[in-house]
């Protein structure tokens, strides 16, 4: 599966647009990450505990995106983006989305 954040794919021709594809996950913080994150935030800089949580959520959403696109018959995703929203304190939705397409070299 080719995934691009651009609207086109140099060296390829879009032969079919299948529509929007998406992958979503909802993650919550836990007591360990909150404790580590709180300690790290006191000294400033990168808060590694939360970075790991954010990366795990993005990876889950990305993998779900790929599965959705494959199920549609796509071999590429164009204009891929992430979005995140806090549903309630400590619970975040992460969405990966784009346009599922069929491309061929050309």
């Amino acid at each position: 599966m080719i995934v691009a954040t651009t609207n086109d794919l140099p060296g390829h021709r879009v032969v079919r647009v299948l529509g929007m594809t998406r992958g979503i996950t909802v993650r919550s913080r836990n007591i360990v990450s909150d404790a580590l994150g709180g300690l790290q935030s006191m000294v400033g800089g990168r808060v590694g505990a939360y970075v790991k949580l954010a990366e795990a959520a993005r990876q889950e959403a990305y993998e779900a995106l790929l599965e959705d696109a494959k199920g549609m018959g796509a071999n590429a995703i164009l204009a891929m983006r992430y979005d995140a929203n806090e549903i309630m304190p400590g619970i975040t939705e992460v969405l990966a989305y784009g346009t599922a397409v069929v491309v061929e070299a050309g």
Side-chain angles (χ1 to χ4, degrees):
M1 179 76 62
I2 301 169
V3 180
T5 58
T6 56
N7 293 328
D8 55 3
L9 197 57
H12 293 80
R13 183 169 55 96
V14 175
V15 295
R16 203 163 82 210
V17 175
L18 302 171
M20 187 179 79
T21 183
R22 66 185 182 281
I24 188 171
T25 190
V26 176
R27 299 289 298 245
S28 66
R29 297 186 316 236
N30 62 49
I31 194 161
V32 173
S33 63
D34 278 348
L36 290 173
L39 290 172
Q40 289 175 331
S41 67
M42 283 191 264
V43 295
R46 186 173 192 258
V47 184
Y50 291 135
V51 170
K52 284 180 77 171
L53 285 172
E55 283 299 326
R58 285 188 195 101
Q59 187 63 38
E60 279 183 20
Y62 182 79
E63 289 170 9
L65 169 72
L66 295 179
E67 287 303 311
D68 189 53
K70 286 178 191 172
M72 296 171 73
N75 66 354
I77 300 169
L78 298 179
M80 187 270 175
R81 303 285 188 270
Y82 286 106
D83 193 14
N85 295 296
E86 190 173 49
I87 294 173
M88 58 187 295
I91 299 178
T92 302
E93 161 204 49
V94 176
L95 173 67
Y97 65 95
T99 302
V101 297
V102 176
V103 298
E104 56 186 37

